[in-house]
Amino acid sequence: MSEIVRIESVTKQWGHVVGVDDVSLAVKTGEFVTLLGPSGCGKSTLLRMIGGFEDPTKGSIWLDGQNVTHLPPNRRDVNVVFQDYALFPHMSVGKNVGYGLKFTDEPRNQVATKAREALDLVGLSDKYDAMPSQLSGGQRQRVALARALVRRPKVLLLDEPLSALDANLREAMQVELRHLHQKVGLTFIMVTHDQDEALAMADRVLVMRNGRVVQDGTPDDLYDRPASAYVADFVGSTNMFRSAVVDGHVQLHDHVLELPERLKTCREGQFGFRPEKVRIVGSGEGGANRITGQLNELLYHGSTARLVIGEGPNAIIVSHMLQDHSGRSALPQLGEDVTVEIAADTLMRFEPEAGE
Amino acid sequence: MTLGTRIRTGLVLSPPLLWTIVFMFVPYTILLVYSFWRAQFPLFVPDFQLGNYRTLITDPQYLNVLLRTLKIAGLVSISAVILAYPYAYFLVFKVRRPGVRLALYMAVVAPLWVSYLLRAYTWKTILGTQGILNSFLISTGVLDEPSSVFLYNHTAMVLTLTYVFIPFMVMPIYAALEKIPPSLIEASRDLGEGAFATFRKVTLPLSLTGVIAGFTMTFCLSFGDFIAPFLVGGPDGAMVANVIASQFGAALNWPLGSALALVMLVLVLGIISVSDRFERLGHGRLE
Amino acid sequence: MKRTAKLTAGVSATAMILASVAPAFAGELNLLTWEGYADDSFVKPFEEATGCKVSATYVGSSDDFAPKLAAGGGVFDLISPPSDSTAPLIAAGFVEPIDTSRIDRWNEIYDQFRSGESINVDGKVYGVPYAWGAIAFMYRPDKFDTPPTSLAALWDPALEGRISLWDDKSAIYVAARHNGNMNIYNLTDEQIAAAQTSLVDQKPLVRKYWSTAGELVDLYKSGEVWISNTWAGYQSALLADEGIEVVEFIPEENAEGWMDSFMMVAGTPNAECAYQFLNMAISEQGQCGVANVNGYSVTNPVAARNCMSEEQFTALHQDDPEYLNSLLLWENLGDRLQTYTNAWNAVKSQ
């Protein structure tokens, strides 16, 4: 696949405030890339620079081989789905969708036809004459999508596209957006602060922090091999602890855990493991990397149960997948001792981050 | 509950209603009654006849003044829009620092706290034969001797009224522009339109309610003005309000004055209801 | 007009209440008058001597008297309308007859004022003449090589944009005389129409119609106007204070004369104070008071003789009955008032 977007050492500063700090990035045609991070991490600024709404302080942006760094938005072949949808309130849905077509010298009747096709694509062909104020939030979202897609841009930029929707609708739209991406075969770059959304939808996720990309990888990479404690914490949850490495082992509170081969030679540092990777085993069963503690909290999250074993700073969190209805009864009661296994190969070690 | 108690309760419960009746309904009713009376030396006598209205139609002086007043009010509103719109646009979209924006906004609005008379009088000192404008034009060599073309004519009236009433144009336009989400303008740019087309297709239509509101206020205020003709108007500067004042004063013909006042009131109400309809067309779009 | 009567009663009641809470004064007197006619220089001594507290409301034009009274004039006790505005006030019953036997020096007043029709109706006297003057003309001598002597100057295209005229029906009188019609208070419809036409023709030459004394002073001061009519003695003095020289003149076509008299508002509760004030007004105190403040001639030549210098006496034409007789003294227009004002309004609306 060829490269459609290339960002080279882009920095955005307002006075002394650094919004985006020396970011480089390449996106391939047809990829679905997500910029993930908390608010203020620079992800929206990066997106706005690709869209042409902000001028980079340093660096360059290339679109399909063309340097577009300082081109205004109307001269870039990208389109944006805005967070608030930005539908023109004084125009019908059809006019909104057709808005961008006139400029490109489409014949008049073609404009209407294409607008209808685009609305069809998002399942709103019957709303052509409606005004935006008559639509629900989800429908407005689709109109915004149709309006951006109708121009067949080289890249579609989505700025927190689902954040204004309620939870149910958001999940449905995640699936729909994903389908749409496959159907139209365009390149999508989406900004979100929601890790579930990022992991569920994107081919590739860039985790950003303080204006920098701290990890760039597939959702699996991020989950299984977070590059830092920050990523591990931001993407999913992690049981964290610090320990020295003695003879290929680390100490988790009172317990000694064996490290996998790849980590045995490490020095002291920060270690962690995913609650989902912890296995509950029968009490008293012997074996390596087993910990026994009192069950102090038990919460059900649909098909999973969250267990807190131990107390205070020594507590570890375990996420247990319930197989069926009998799964619940198989769980230990509150106050009972539970034994869990933290398999050596699920242990992760994090390099200290710059500035920490 | 008898009708009497109900009315009494209504009055007690709603001072605004009472206020409206006492200060709006009663005076207008008196005006209406007077307009059917007849002027007869020394004053006027009760009657029911349409002679006053007939006079307004048949004597060309009233139509003349009415047309002149409409013309002045129209020119004031148009020049106020032309000045106020770019200014409000500049404040909302180009001035980034809130402090500077507030200062520039107040620079236009604050004169409202200064007496109208004083502000209008200022223009007299600017436009006069020995005024600031003439001094400036002579010192810069544009004129050899002071010109008297700046003061005591329609242009001076339009200028003064525009200056006096422009806050009423800036305020609603500013409010309308400020309500437009920046994302709409970005969306238009993103969809391929340049800055001017974006203004024409998005910003302007969405700020039209403010323009209509400002236009209506400026028009109605200038339409009823009688200070500017007095201060900076020339011999042909009389407007409707001046004629009404003269009918209630020098001519001592209150019936004719009342009839003229009512015609003026109806015209203003007509303008307001038309503009209200326009405004409602564009209303709710930015909710 | 029952409504007006009730309103009057209400306001008078308020006035009485106000009077009763101010025991320091024997009475009070509310004047609707011209600026200068209640000047502290002679009103303060009057207050001290009589215990009558004077408060004055000033009018801007002769046309302010009747509308203010028609709108419920009960707050006023004395008014001072000019002689052309008295008829409607008397006819409408806004003012009440004066008992001239209570005016000690009544007989000293110029006879043509005392017996003039502006204050005498049906054998009753309705006013005490106070001051008089001419509606003279004036010009800036530095702007004229040859001093103007005729009204024709006001129609001279060479003076375009330098002419001003009083915004009053008096403009009709001026135009009529310009047209050769000297019966200015009894003009026929045709003569009024001709005057109207002349005024419309004159309009392009006019810089501004002046309404108040201050406005005319401003127009001369700012160099806008070089020639106009004027209240003789008044604006020229104000301009002299500003260091601007103007010359007054009576044109060949003559000038109007005006006379202000004090009238008592019908039903005034302060008649006692009112009579005391009227007596003061035509005494040396009031006569020289107004002459000094406003520069007007006065109606009691005996008092004037006593309190004026020879110079002032002559300057105000108090020694010269011929001058007074030569003026076209304002007369009541009666029911022709409408026609005159309508013609003037039509000129302005053109």
Side-chain angles (χ1 to χ4, degrees), chain B residues 258-272:
Chain B
S258 302
L260 191 51
L262 276 174
V263 168
M264 194 170 165
L265 185 70
V266 168
L267 276 172
V268 165
L269 289 178
I271 290 162
I272 289 174

Side-chain angles (χ1 to χ4, degrees), chain B residues 61 68 121 129 148 230, chain C residues 207-208 218 224 338 349-350:
Chain B
Q61 65 166 293
R68 174 189 303 155
Y121 203 86
T129 305
S148 57
F230 176 75
Chain C
R207 185 70 171 139
K208 177 109 180 99
D218 271 354
E224 304 285 353
Q338 282 288 332
S349 77
Q350 198 74 43

Side-chain angles (χ1 to χ4, degrees), chain C residues 192-204:
Chain C
I192 290 178
Q196 186 180 328
T197 309
S198 298
L199 288 168
V200 170
D201 292 344
Q202 184 204 31
K203 259 182 118 169

Side-chain angles (χ1 to χ4, degrees), chain B residues 224-266:
Chain B
D225 187 80
F226 74 106
I227 301 283
F230 176 75
L231 280 181
V232 299
D236 61 350
M239 302 218 294
V240 171
N242 301 93
V243 176
I244 292 175
S246 136
Q247 290 302 330
F248 278 88
L252 218 56
N253 191 343
W254 292 15
L256 187 62
S258 302
L260 191 51
L262 276 174
V263 168
M264 194 170 165
L265 185 70
V266 168

Side-chain angles (χ1 to χ4, degrees), chain A residues 18-57:
Chain A
V18 181
V20 171
D21 189 4
D22 192 25
V23 167
S24 295
L25 160 71
V27 178
K28 287 189 231 122
T29 307
E31 239 187 327
F32 193 142
V33 173
T34 295
L35 306 176
L36 174 68
S39 63
C41 73
K43 58 189 193 302
S44 283
T45 306
L46 186 59
L47 192 85
R48 289 174 60 78
M49 286 194 286
I50 303 171
F53 304 113
E54 302 282 355
D55 216 16
T57 314

Side-chain angles (χ1 to χ4, degrees), chain C residues 78-288:
Chain C
L78 286 175
I79 59 172
S80 64
S83 43
D84 68 337
S85 308
T86 51
L89 298 169
I90 297 168
F94 290 158
V95 289
E96 63 181 37
I98 284 168
D99 179 0
T100 53
S101 69
R102 297 181 65 180
I103 310 292
D104 301 335
R105 301 170 71 176
W106 176 253
N107 291 324
E108 294 175 6
I109 296 172
Y110 285 119
D111 182 55
Q112 65 250 64
F113 292 144
R114 255 190 298 145
S115 55
E117 61 157 8
S118 70
I119 55 167
N120 287 280
V121 174
D122 297 334
K124 287 184 183 123
V125 176
Y126 285 88
V128 176
Y130 182 52
W132 62 276
I135 307 295
F137 290 78
M138 67 178 180
Y139 63 95
R140 278 182 61 160
D142 56 328
K143 305 290 185 189
F144 288 83
D145 294 332
T146 329
T149 55
S150 155
L151 291 180
L154 295 165
W155 271 264
D156 182 356
L159 291 171
E160 180 181 351
R162 300 296 171 197
I163 295 164
S164 185
L165 208 57
W166 186 18
D167 183 358
D168 185 271
K169 57 185 174 299
S170 159
I172 301 284
Y173 307 151
V174 173
R177 295 206 303 284
H178 176 64
N179 292 342
N181 301 312
M182 301 307 282
N183 56 330
I184 52 174
Y185 307 114
N186 292 294
L187 295 171
T188 64
D189 285 349
E190 290 72 29
Q191 289 169 332
I192 290 178
Q196 186 180 328
T197 309
S198 298
L199 288 168
V200 170
D201 292 344
Q202 184 204 31
K203 259 182 118 169
L205 311 178
V206 173
R207 185 70 171 139
K208 177 109 180 99
Y209 297 126
W210 62 274
S211 311
T212 64
E215 196 185 357
L216 185 63
V217 168
D218 271 354
L219 285 168
Y220 273 93
K221 217 169 79 180
S222 56
E224 304 285 353
V225 161
W226 296 349
I227 185 165
S228 70
N229 50 0
T230 177
W231 301 335
Y234 189 40
Q235 286 108 335
S236 57
L238 294 175
L239 281 166
D241 291 345
E242 301 277 354
I244 291 162
E245 196 198 341
V246 287
V247 175
E248 287 184 6
F249 70 106
I250 302 289
E252 290 156 10
E253 295 87 350
N254 211 343
E256 303 138 49
W258 58 269
M259 186 273 289
D260 289 341
S261 48
F262 273 111
M263 302 180 113
M264 276 171 66
V265 175
T268 170
N270 300 311
E272 280 312 313
C273 277
Y275 275 106
Q276 283 180 297
F277 187 89
L278 293 174
N279 275 306
M280 181 278 290
I282 58 163
S283 72
E284 285 77 6
Q285 192 182 350
Q287 294 283 282
C288 271

